Amino acid sequence: MGKLSRKVAIVGAGMSKFGQWWPIKQNRDLWQDALISAMNSVDQNFDMNDVEELFLGNFTADLFNHESHLAPLMAQIAGLNPKPATRFESACASSGLALRHAVISIASGMTDLVLVGGIETMTEVPTVDVTDALASASDTRLEYPAGATFPGLYAAVATAHMHEYGTKDEDLFNVAIKNYENGAQNPFAQVQMTIEQVMEDKLRKAEKRGKPTPKWKGGTPYDFLRSSSNPYIAYPLRLFDCSLVTDGAAALFLASEDVAKKYTDTPIWITGTGQGSATLQLADRKSLTSFGATKAAAETAFQMSGLGPKDIQIAEVHDCFTIAEVVALEDLGFYEKGKAVVGIREGETKRDGKLPINTSGGLKTKGHPVGTTGAAQAVEIFKQMRGRAERNRQVKFDVECALTHNLGGSGATCVIHTYEK
Amino acid sequence: MSEEKEITLRNYFDFLAKDKLMGSKCKKCGEVFVPPKKICNKCQSTELEWIEFSGKGTLATYSLIHVGARYFSAQGYRMGKPYCFGVIKLEEGPRVSAHVVGPSKEWEFDPANFKVGMPLKKKIIKVEIEGREPSFDLGFEPV
């Protein structure tokens, strides 16, 4: 089993504001926003000339933007040419994978300071093309003629989970409600409203447009989420179970133990990195309610760091759909199979709970620019572990150990990292 | 004869168009694959032969997709008129992905018609979309 032969730390991390930016901002604009944010987060002595290599995660600028050779371009924007610049692709785990390879590069002794990036601009093409581009990360020859879409594949996982463990739609609503609550505290999030604020906003708009008053007026978030205002996208998943279509970039500076202290007194060490794969086609998996790639990646990352699920105090998990957060919490070993929904219901995964999950708002409200997500998860962990999360989002205890979980496709790739102070 | 055809994805789809759900079987350990493979992932043998699947199975899981892929919106499905994406466990063991259809399109729109475990049988669906060659997709319907 692998281990890191040299310690690796994050010494700077930042992101662009996530949102629907096209055409106001494009890949290179969002990348500069992320770079500036990351450069400003380095405490001291930052010099771009020290950076030796770029590891860039991007799913498919080819299909979204007709730009495919992205790494040298983004190295150019950062002023890094002629240093090596490589693009990493593993669907929605692209920048998690870029991060992993940056860690491997530093640990191997090849480099001392590197830049990790994630970029995706999804809104340049119409929604139906976004759906088709995302679907290209499934087993297109077999799943496309069957009608699979990403919401559809995760919905099929939800159906199986509901059948096997009695999970209810309300259990999934709880995930969404929590992640809206967190996103409302994140100035970089695409949606910065609680579910209650979303409801007020919708009521106001309905009144303004002279539309009939929704039946859920005066009701609870559950009434709203169970109504036609929250239509099915892929039964049993509804609109508010799905993450967003987002444009955004993120950037991280990684340093070896030999140089980390030059840049900060509070580096965040990446102590474990794990990656797993699974069959591309959902139908071919042994289990339809659990992701083997997550389990394999977690086992490697935990073994490398010497940590276990019980040591992890906060985590950013890949909630591309509400059911994915439930399944991740089980596969990562935080909860027994079928029991995560109980912990979620009891508030354990809220910001003030015993295991805060997705304090950033997650993919659900922070947004999900697919190839950026893995790097953006690490940005949130960097902020939380250094006690610098904005607004009222900072958890109330000192975070010593954290984890990120980045999934690609319908779970065919998973990249997991553990972080320690 | 089927034995003479090379094991390729194209030939798998050609069989589907002729109403045959074909896979391969390892001559050494008996493991079966659909679509067919030339390499047995169980025993590493490279001696595999074509076999025909019965087309009988059960619904392992499913989703009724309202916001569908372009290919399915071209078939008339849309918000409020969803189609069923299903994962079907074949009686021979492997699972496949398929469009699950019923006696009518309206039947497909109602979640009450679908249950995990319900028995299904193969029904090849001929899809004709303007501007492209007709295709023959793997579908299933209730027994």
Side-chain angles (χ1 to χ4, degrees):
Chain A
M1 195 55 72
K3 71 192 242 319
L4 300 174
S5 37
R6 203 157 65 127
K7 282 174 76 182
V8 182
I10 308 180
V11 296
M15 58 190 278
S16 73
K17 186 185 173 308
F18 280 8
Q20 302 211 330
W21 283 109
W22 177 267
I24 297 165
K25 290 194 182 191
Q26 308 187 13
N27 281 328
R28 63 193 79 190
D29 306 307
L30 294 167
W31 176 233
Q32 288 176 79
D33 289 349
L35 274 179
I36 292 168
S37 161
M39 287 157 71
N40 289 338
S41 75
V42 179
D43 294 333
Q44 64 221 17
N45 298 320
F46 178 75
D47 183 350
M48 193 64 91
N49 294 312
D50 293 347
V51 174
E52 294 160 281
E53 192 161 344
L54 168 64
F55 297 80
L56 183 71
N58 169 260
F59 168 37
T60 185
D62 322 43
L63 296 177
F64 290 139
N65 322 109
H66 201 67
E67 291 180 326
S68 57
H69 203 177
L70 222 50
L73 172 63
M74 297 310 157
Q76 175 192 338
I77 302 290
L80 291 177
N81 301 143
K83 290 164 181 168
T86 311
R87 171 180 157 189
F88 290 80
E89 188 283 316
S90 54
C92 312
S94 294
S95 60
L97 186 63
L99 173 59
R100 173 172 159 83
H101 282 270
V103 169
I104 292 168
S105 168
I106 292 178
S108 76
M110 192 86 91
T111 50
D112 274 309
L113 187 74
V114 304
L115 174 57
V116 177
I119 297 189
E120 208 81 63
T121 302
M122 302 170 72
T123 64
E124 184 173 348
V125 293
T127 309
V128 62
D129 291 328
V130 174
T131 306
D132 269 9
L134 293 172
S136 77
S138 64
D139 191 336
T140 50
R141 305 291 166 188
L142 302 177
E143 291 182 316
Y144 199 78
T149 58
F150 267 96
L153 289 163
Y154 280 92
V157 171
T159 300
H161 204 277
M162 288 170 163
H163 178 74
E164 215 160 305
Y165 302 108
T167 304
K168 303 271 185 290
D169 55 359
E170 200 172 287
D171 294 320
L172 303 182
F173 296 161
N174 285 333
V175 175
I177 292 167
K178 168 187 70 75
N179 287 348
Y180 273 87
E181 168 65 32
N182 287 343
Q185 300 296 331
N186 187 349
F188 292 89
Q190 183 168 350
V191 176
Q192 299 175 28
M193 287 192 280
T194 62
I195 282 284
E196 287 83 353
Q197 288 169 327
V198 170
M199 291 165 69
E200 282 164 27
D201 187 57
K202 283 196 182 287
L203 277 178
R204 235 185 345 256
K205 280 181 184 156
E207 261 168 45
K208 213 167 140 188
R209 289 178 193 149
K211 289 199 171 161
T213 310
K215 282 192 192 127
W216 44 261
K217 190 186 174 181
T220 67
Y222 296 106
D223 297 327
F224 166 69
L225 291 170
R226 209 166 273 128
S227 75
S228 59
S229 301
N230 185 18
Y232 286 113
I233 300 298
Y235 174 90
L237 297 183
R238 297 170 182 259
L239 182 62
F240 282 77
D241 289 303
C242 305
S243 56
L244 308 166
V245 173
T246 309
D247 308 323
L252 308 160
F253 291 105
L254 263 57
S256 71
E257 59 180 299
D258 298 333
V259 305
K261 289 287 163 82
K262 176 181 167 190
Y263 303 105
T264 179
D265 297 330
T266 51
I268 300 303
W269 303 101
I270 297 180
T271 56
T273 175
Q275 183 181 352
S277 74
T279 66
L280 194 55
Q281 184 177 217
L282 179 72
D284 287 325
R285 311 252 174 90
K286 212 181 271 173
S287 167
L288 296 170
T289 54
S290 161
F291 293 128
T294 296
K295 289 185 163 178
E299 195 186 333
T300 310
F302 281 140
Q303 215 160 77
M304 194 177 292
S305 60
L307 300 171
K310 286 198 165 60
D311 299 310
I312 302 299
Q313 295 167 287
I314 63 167
E316 289 285 304
V317 305
H318 197 95
D319 61 319
C320 49
F321 299 92
T322 48
I323 184 66
E325 180 162 326
V326 172
V327 171
L329 295 183
E330 295 167 350
D331 289 342
L332 290 166
F334 296 141
Y335 292 96
E336 272 174 50
K337 213 62 211 159
K339 295 284 161 55
V341 296
V342 180
I344 295 166
R345 192 182 307 143
E346 287 170 3
E348 290 176 3
T349 60
K350 289 182 179 178
R351 276 202 313 283
D352 58 358
K354 66 177 189 187
L355 179 64
I357 298 294
N358 287 334
T359 54
S360 67
L363 285 50
K364 173 68 261 196
T365 61
K366 180 180 79 225
H368 185 27
V370 287
T372 305
T373 283
Q377 289 176 325
V379 172
E380 176 69 7
I381 294 298
F382 183 72
K383 289 179 179 176
Q384 287 284 354
M385 291 185 80
R386 292 173 20 125
R388 295 184 202 175
E390 300 86 358
R391 294 191 186 152
N392 193 26
R393 199 165 90 255
Q394 182 63 47
V395 298
K396 299 289 180 267
F397 52 87
D398 192 29
V399 183
E400 295 286 339
C401 292
L403 177 145
T404 54
H405 160 266
N406 188 198
L407 216 51
S410 64
T413 295
C414 183
V415 182
I416 289 174
H417 286 96
T418 57
Y419 307 79
E420 292 174 69
K421 266 210 244 196
Chain B
M1 287 307 289
S2 62
E3 285 76 16
E4 293 158 19
K5 284 200 176 201
E6 188 178 354
I7 290 179
T8 63
L9 193 60
R10 171 62 193 259
N11 285 335
Y12 162 78
F13 283 117
D14 282 351
F15 274 125
L16 270 191
K18 292 173 192 150
D19 202 22
K20 283 177 184 292
L21 177 57
M22 300 293 288
S24 65
K25 184 175 183 174
C26 176
K27 287 184 184 173
K28 281 209 170 131
C29 75
E31 188 78 353
V32 291
F33 302 96
V34 57
K37 283 179 180 166
K38 284 176 169 177
I39 302 169
C40 176
N41 294 145
K42 199 176 174 189
C43 76
Q44 330 298 327
S45 161
T46 52
E47 286 177 39
L48 287 90
E49 60 188 351
W50 285 100
I51 53 154
E52 183 172 357
F53 285 79
S54 70
K56 288 183 202 152
T58 53
L59 188 61
T61 191
Y62 64 94
S63 167
L64 299 195
I65 301 183
H66 290 255
V67 180
R70 194 188 282 280
Y71 180 58
F72 274 73
S73 13
Q75 295 174 46
Y77 295 100
R78 55 181 187 273
M79 203 82 180
K81 297 187 184 306
Y83 58 87
C84 178
F85 159 72
V87 172
I88 293 91
K89 185 170 172 56
L90 301 174
E91 65 176 2
E92 293 87 350
R95 294 201 213 97
V96 290
S97 308
H99 180 190
V100 182
V101 296
S104 67
K105 259 201 171 152
E106 286 64 37
W107 185 93
E108 296 180 52
F109 306 153
D110 186 358
N113 288 326
F114 299 90
K115 281 202 169 55
V116 170
M118 72 193 275
L120 300 169
K121 63 179 194 302
K122 171 185 64 127
K123 181 193 168 74
I124 301 302
I125 304 164
K126 186 179 181 187
V127 179
E128 292 175 286
I129 296 170
E130 215 184 293
R132 56 181 285 175
E133 291 282 301
S135 55
F136 297 87
D137 294 338
L138 178 60
F140 278 80
E141 63 180 354
V143 171

mmCIF file of all heavy atoms in Angstrom, chain A residues 89-123:
data_model
loop_
_atom_site.group_PDB
_atom_site.id
_atom_site.type_symbol
_atom_site.label_atom_id
_atom_site.label_comp_id
_atom_site.label_asym_id
_atom_site.label_seq_id
_atom_site.Cartn_x
_atom_site.Cartn_y
_atom_site.Cartn_z
ATOM 1 N N GLU A 89 -8.630 14.639 -16.550
ATOM 2 C CA GLU A 89 -10.057 14.432 -16.789
ATOM 3 C C GLU A 89 -10.518 13.150 -16.126
ATOM 4 O O GLU A 89 -9.949 12.087 -16.359
ATOM 5 C CB GLU A 89 -10.343 14.367 -18.298
ATOM 6 C CG GLU A 89 -11.826 14.342 -18.646
ATOM 7 C CD GLU A 89 -12.492 13.000 -18.425
ATOM 8 O OE1 GLU A 89 -11.917 11.970 -18.794
ATOM 9 O OE2 GLU A 89 -13.596 12.972 -17.840
ATOM 10 N N SER A 90 -11.514 13.244 -15.277
ATOM 11 C CA SER A 90 -12.211 12.068 -14.758
ATOM 12 C C SER A 90 -13.623 12.533 -14.389
ATOM 13 O O SER A 90 -14.050 12.416 -13.253
ATOM 14 C CB SER A 90 -11.486 11.468 -13.564
ATOM 15 O OG SER A 90 -11.279 12.448 -12.569
ATOM 16 N N ALA A 91 -14.297 13.092 -15.402
ATOM 17 C CA ALA A 91 -15.659 13.621 -15.239
ATOM 18 C C ALA A 91 -15.690 14.606 -14.062
ATOM 19 O O ALA A 91 -14.845 15.499 -13.986
ATOM 20 C CB ALA A 91 -16.656 12.481 -15.096
ATOM 21 N N CYS A 92 -16.622 14.427 -13.128
ATOM 22 C CA CYS A 92 -16.796 15.397 -12.043
ATOM 23 C C CYS A 92 -15.699 15.278 -10.984
ATOM 24 O O CYS A 92 -15.662 16.061 -10.042
ATOM 25 C CB CYS A 92 -18.166 15.232 -11.406
ATOM 26 S SG CYS A 92 -19.464 15.143 -12.650
ATOM 27 N N ALA A 93 -14.812 14.294 -11.138
ATOM 28 C CA ALA A 93 -13.695 14.151 -10.198
ATOM 29 C C ALA A 93 -12.404 14.686 -10.809
ATOM 30 O O ALA A 93 -11.316 14.406 -10.310
ATOM 31 C CB ALA A 93 -13.531 12.687 -9.794
ATOM 32 N N SER A 94 -12.510 15.466 -11.880
ATOM 33 C CA SER A 94 -11.316 15.896 -12.611
ATOM 34 C C SER A 94 -10.311 16.659 -11.742
ATOM 35 O O SER A 94 -9.118 16.372 -11.774
ATOM 36 C CB SER A 94 -11.714 16.747 -13.822
ATOM 37 O OG SER A 94 -12.408 15.959 -14.758
ATOM 38 N N SER A 95 -10.789 17.645 -10.965
ATOM 39 C CA SER A 95 -9.788 18.407 -10.206
ATOM 40 C C SER A 95 -9.412 17.722 -8.899
ATOM 41 O O SER A 95 -8.348 18.000 -8.346
ATOM 42 C CB SER A 95 -10.204 19.869 -10.000
ATOM 43 O OG SER A 95 -11.394 19.981 -9.297
ATOM 44 N N GLY A 96 -10.234 16.797 -8.421
ATOM 45 C CA GLY A 96 -9.793 15.938 -7.315
ATOM 46 C C GLY A 96 -8.607 15.111 -7.776
ATOM 47 O O GLY A 96 -7.626 14.913 -7.050
ATOM 48 N N LEU A 97 -8.685 14.658 -9.021
ATOM 49 C CA LEU A 97 -7.607 13.858 -9.601
ATOM 50 C C LEU A 97 -6.361 14.711 -9.836
ATOM 51 O O LEU A 97 -5.239 14.265 -9.588
ATOM 52 C CB LEU A 97 -8.088 13.247 -10.918
ATOM 53 C CG LEU A 97 -7.135 12.268 -11.586
ATOM 54 C CD1 LEU A 97 -6.915 11.048 -10.703
ATOM 55 C CD2 LEU A 97 -7.669 11.833 -12.940
ATOM 56 N N ALA A 98 -6.571 15.956 -10.303
ATOM 57 C CA ALA A 98 -5.438 16.875 -10.494
ATOM 58 C C ALA A 98 -4.725 17.098 -9.156
ATOM 59 O O ALA A 98 -3.494 17.082 -9.079
ATOM 60 C CB ALA A 98 -5.923 18.199 -11.076
ATOM 61 N N LEU A 99 -5.520 17.276 -8.101
ATOM 62 C CA LEU A 99 -4.965 17.467 -6.756
ATOM 63 C C LEU A 99 -4.134 16.245 -6.348
ATOM 64 O O LEU A 99 -3.022 16.372 -5.844
ATOM 65 C CB LEU A 99 -6.108 17.717 -5.759
ATOM 66 C CG LEU A 99 -5.738 17.786 -4.277
ATOM 67 C CD1 LEU A 99 -4.733 18.892 -4.006
ATOM 68 C CD2 LEU A 99 -6.997 18.006 -3.421
ATOM 69 N N ARG A 100 -4.688 15.065 -6.601
ATOM 70 C CA ARG A 100 -3.990 13.823 -6.239
ATOM 71 C C ARG A 100 -2.630 13.735 -6.947
ATOM 72 O O ARG A 100 -1.623 13.387 -6.338
ATOM 73 C CB ARG A 100 -4.867 12.629 -6.602
ATOM 74 C CG ARG A 100 -4.209 11.283 -6.442
ATOM 75 C CD ARG A 100 -5.225 10.165 -6.644
ATOM 76 N NE ARG A 100 -4.606 8.907 -6.986
ATOM 77 C CZ ARG A 100 -4.084 8.047 -6.110
ATOM 78 N NH1 ARG A 100 -4.123 8.333 -4.822
ATOM 79 N NH2 ARG A 100 -3.553 6.925 -6.505
ATOM 80 N N HIS A 101 -2.604 14.076 -8.236
ATOM 81 C CA HIS A 101 -1.352 13.974 -8.969
ATOM 82 C C HIS A 101 -0.360 15.062 -8.559
ATOM 83 O O HIS A 101 0.854 14.843 -8.622
ATOM 84 C CB HIS A 101 -1.608 13.937 -10.480
ATOM 85 C CG HIS A 101 -2.072 12.582 -10.902
ATOM 86 N ND1 HIS A 101 -1.205 11.594 -11.286
ATOM 87 C CD2 HIS A 101 -3.300 12.029 -10.903
ATOM 88 C CE1 HIS A 101 -1.886 10.480 -11.535
ATOM 89 N NE2 HIS A 101 -3.159 10.725 -11.310
ATOM 90 N N ALA A 102 -0.843 16.194 -8.107
ATOM 91 C CA ALA A 102 0.038 17.229 -7.568
ATOM 92 C C ALA A 102 0.672 16.732 -6.273
ATOM 93 O O ALA A 102 1.868 16.930 -6.033
ATOM 94 C CB ALA A 102 -0.760 18.507 -7.327
ATOM 95 N N VAL A 103 -0.129 16.078 -5.448
ATOM 96 C CA VAL A 103 0.386 15.510 -4.186
ATOM 97 C C VAL A 103 1.472 14.480 -4.501
ATOM 98 O O VAL A 103 2.556 14.491 -3.895
ATOM 99 C CB VAL A 103 -0.769 14.851 -3.376
ATOM 100 C CG1 VAL A 103 -0.220 14.036 -2.211
ATOM 101 C CG2 VAL A 103 -1.739 15.914 -2.879
ATOM 102 N N ILE A 104 1.193 13.607 -5.479
ATOM 103 C CA ILE A 104 2.154 12.565 -5.850
ATOM 104 C C ILE A 104 3.454 13.202 -6.365
ATOM 105 O O ILE A 104 4.555 12.763 -6.029
ATOM 106 C CB ILE A 104 1.544 11.616 -6.907
ATOM 107 C CG1 ILE A 104 0.404 10.800 -6.281
ATOM 108 C CG2 ILE A 104 2.604 10.696 -7.513
ATOM 109 C CD1 ILE A 104 -0.465 10.048 -7.276
ATOM 110 N N SER A 105 3.323 14.280 -7.154
ATOM 111 C CA SER A 105 4.495 14.958 -7.713
ATOM 112 C C SER A 105 5.398 15.502 -6.602
ATOM 113 O O SER A 105 6.613 15.296 -6.619
ATOM 114 C CB SER A 105 4.033 16.100 -8.637
ATOM 115 O OG SER A 105 5.110 16.938 -8.967
ATOM 116 N N ILE A 106 4.777 16.175 -5.635
ATOM 117 C CA ILE A 106 5.575 16.758 -4.545
ATOM 118 C C ILE A 106 6.159 15.659 -3.663
ATOM 119 O O ILE A 106 7.344 15.683 -3.320
ATOM 120 C CB ILE A 106 4.724 17.750 -3.717
ATOM 121 C CG1 ILE A 106 4.389 18.973 -4.574
ATOM 122 C CG2 ILE A 106 5.463 18.154 -2.439
ATOM 123 C CD1 ILE A 106 3.510 19.991 -3.893
ATOM 124 N N ALA A 107 5.326 14.671 -3.333
ATOM 125 C CA ALA A 107 5.794 13.593 -2.450
ATOM 126 C C ALA A 107 6.954 12.841 -3.078
ATOM 127 O O ALA A 107 7.852 12.364 -2.383
ATOM 128 C CB ALA A 107 4.640 12.638 -2.140
ATOM 129 N N SER A 108 6.964 12.753 -4.400
ATOM 130 C CA SER A 108 8.023 12.008 -5.096
ATOM 131 C C SER A 108 9.354 12.754 -5.083
ATOM 132 O O SER A 108 10.382 12.182 -5.424
ATOM 133 C CB SER A 108 7.617 11.747 -6.543
ATOM 134 O OG SER A 108 7.768 12.928 -7.306
ATOM 135 N N GLY A 109 9.295 14.038 -4.757
ATOM 136 C CA GLY A 109 10.522 14.833 -4.764
ATOM 137 C C GLY A 109 10.740 15.583 -6.070
ATOM 138 O O GLY A 109 11.708 16.320 -6.224
ATOM 139 N N MET A 110 9.833 15.388 -7.000
ATOM 140 C CA MET A 110 9.967 16.014 -8.316
ATOM 141 C C MET A 110 9.785 17.526 -8.234
ATOM 142 O O MET A 110 10.436 18.274 -8.964
ATOM 143 C CB MET A 110 8.921 15.408 -9.256
ATOM 144 C CG MET A 110 9.120 15.739 -10.694
ATOM 145 S SD MET A 110 10.246 14.584 -11.461
ATOM 146 C CE MET A 110 9.109 13.360 -12.057
ATOM 147 N N THR A 111 8.880 17.979 -7.375
ATOM 148 C CA THR A 111 8.565 19.416 -7.281
ATOM 149 C C THR A 111 8.449 19.842 -5.813
ATOM 150 O O THR A 111 8.255 18.992 -4.933
ATOM 151 C CB THR A 111 7.222 19.728 -7.984
ATOM 152 O OG1 THR A 111 6.239 18.807 -7.497
ATOM 153 C CG2 THR A 111 7.319 19.586 -9.498
ATOM 154 N N ASP A 112 8.541 21.161 -5.584
ATOM 155 C CA ASP A 112 8.371 21.702 -4.233
ATOM 156 C C ASP A 112 7.151 22.607 -4.088
ATOM 157 O O ASP A 112 6.552 22.687 -3.022
ATOM 158 C CB ASP A 112 9.612 22.502 -3.824
ATOM 159 C CG ASP A 112 10.687 21.617 -3.235
ATOM 160 O OD1 ASP A 112 10.358 20.840 -2.320
ATOM 161 O OD2 ASP A 112 11.831 21.670 -3.719
ATOM 162 N N LEU A 113 6.809 23.314 -5.169
ATOM 163 C CA LEU A 113 5.622 24.174 -5.121
ATOM 164 C C LEU A 113 4.881 24.042 -6.446
ATOM 165 O O LEU A 113 5.465 24.242 -7.512
ATOM 166 C CB LEU A 113 6.006 25.646 -4.903
ATOM 167 C CG LEU A 113 4.811 26.584 -4.681
ATOM 168 C CD1 LEU A 113 4.211 26.387 -3.293
ATOM 169 C CD2 LEU A 113 5.185 28.047 -4.895
ATOM 170 N N VAL A 114 3.598 23.671 -6.376
ATOM 171 C CA VAL A 114 2.818 23.504 -7.605
ATOM 172 C C VAL A 114 1.454 24.171 -7.466
ATOM 173 O O VAL A 114 0.986 24.464 -6.362
ATOM 174 C CB VAL A 114 2.619 22.011 -7.983
ATOM 175 C CG1 VAL A 114 3.949 21.289 -8.109
ATOM 176 C CG2 VAL A 114 1.712 21.301 -6.984
ATOM 177 N N LEU A 115 0.859 24.396 -8.629
ATOM 178 C CA LEU A 115 -0.478 25.000 -8.686
ATOM 179 C C LEU A 115 -1.464 23.933 -9.139
ATOM 180 O O LEU A 115 -1.212 23.225 -10.119
ATOM 181 C CB LEU A 115 -0.450 26.169 -9.685
ATOM 182 C CG LEU A 115 -1.762 26.862 -10.029
ATOM 183 C CD1 LEU A 115 -2.468 27.396 -8.794
ATOM 184 C CD2 LEU A 115 -1.496 28.019 -11.024
ATOM 185 N N VAL A 116 -2.574 23.815 -8.411
ATOM 186 C CA VAL A 116 -3.652 22.899 -8.793
ATOM 187 C C VAL A 116 -4.859 23.753 -9.144
ATOM 188 O O VAL A 116 -5.182 24.691 -8.420
ATOM 189 C CB VAL A 116 -4.021 21.959 -7.622
ATOM 190 C CG1 VAL A 116 -5.199 21.063 -8.009
ATOM 191 C CG2 VAL A 116 -2.825 21.113 -7.214
ATOM 192 N N GLY A 117 -5.488 23.443 -10.250
ATOM 193 C CA GLY A 117 -6.653 24.228 -10.632
ATOM 194 C C GLY A 117 -7.833 23.369 -11.017
ATOM 195 O O GLY A 117 -7.689 22.175 -11.294
ATOM 196 N N GLY A 118 -8.993 23.995 -11.017
ATOM 197 C CA GLY A 118 -10.205 23.375 -11.545
ATOM 198 C C GLY A 118 -10.950 24.453 -12.298
ATOM 199 O O GLY A 118 -11.020 25.597 -11.822
ATOM 200 N N ILE A 119 -11.454 24.101 -13.481
ATOM 201 C CA ILE A 119 -12.186 25.076 -14.298
ATOM 202 C C ILE A 119 -13.353 24.388 -14.982
ATOM 203 O O ILE A 119 -13.205 23.265 -15.487
ATOM 204 C CB ILE A 119 -11.304 25.655 -15.428
ATOM 205 C CG1 ILE A 119 -10.131 26.431 -14.864
ATOM 206 C CG2 ILE A 119 -12.122 26.565 -16.351
ATOM 207 C CD1 ILE A 119 -9.356 27.198 -15.920
ATOM 208 N N GLU A 120 -14.505 25.046 -15.010
ATOM 209 C CA GLU A 120 -15.594 24.592 -15.863
ATOM 210 C C GLU A 120 -16.553 25.751 -16.095
ATOM 211 O O GLU A 120 -16.950 26.429 -15.141
ATOM 212 C CB GLU A 120 -16.363 23.430 -15.205
ATOM 213 C CG GLU A 120 -17.015 22.486 -16.199
ATOM 214 C CD GLU A 120 -16.048 21.452 -16.781
ATOM 215 O OE1 GLU A 120 -15.520 20.631 -16.014
ATOM 216 O OE2 GLU A 120 -15.811 21.478 -18.008
ATOM 217 N N THR A 121 -16.875 25.997 -17.348
ATOM 218 C CA THR A 121 -17.913 26.970 -17.702
ATOM 219 C C THR A 121 -18.980 26.210 -18.465
ATOM 220 O O THR A 121 -18.769 25.801 -19.605
ATOM 221 C CB THR A 121 -17.332 28.106 -18.571
ATOM 222 O OG1 THR A 121 -16.279 28.736 -17.847
ATOM 223 C CG2 THR A 121 -18.407 29.134 -18.911
ATOM 224 N N MET A 122 -20.115 25.962 -17.802
ATOM 225 C CA MET A 122 -21.118 25.051 -18.356
ATOM 226 C C MET A 122 -22.249 25.748 -19.091
ATOM 227 O O MET A 122 -22.977 25.118 -19.852
ATOM 228 C CB MET A 122 -21.710 24.193 -17.225
ATOM 229 C CG MET A 122 -20.665 23.376 -16.478
ATOM 230 S SD MET A 122 -21.307 22.595 -14.969
ATOM 231 C CE MET A 122 -22.342 21.310 -15.636
ATOM 232 N N THR A 123 -22.427 27.068 -18.830
ATOM 233 C CA THR A 123 -23.655 27.701 -19.317
ATOM 234 C C THR A 123 -23.523 28.314 -20.712
ATOM 235 O O THR A 123 -24.426 29.008 -21.163
ATOM 236 C CB THR A 123 -24.161 28.784 -18.331
ATOM 237 O OG1 THR A 123 -23.183 29.830 -18.257
ATOM 238 C CG2 THR A 123 -24.394 28.218 -16.953
#
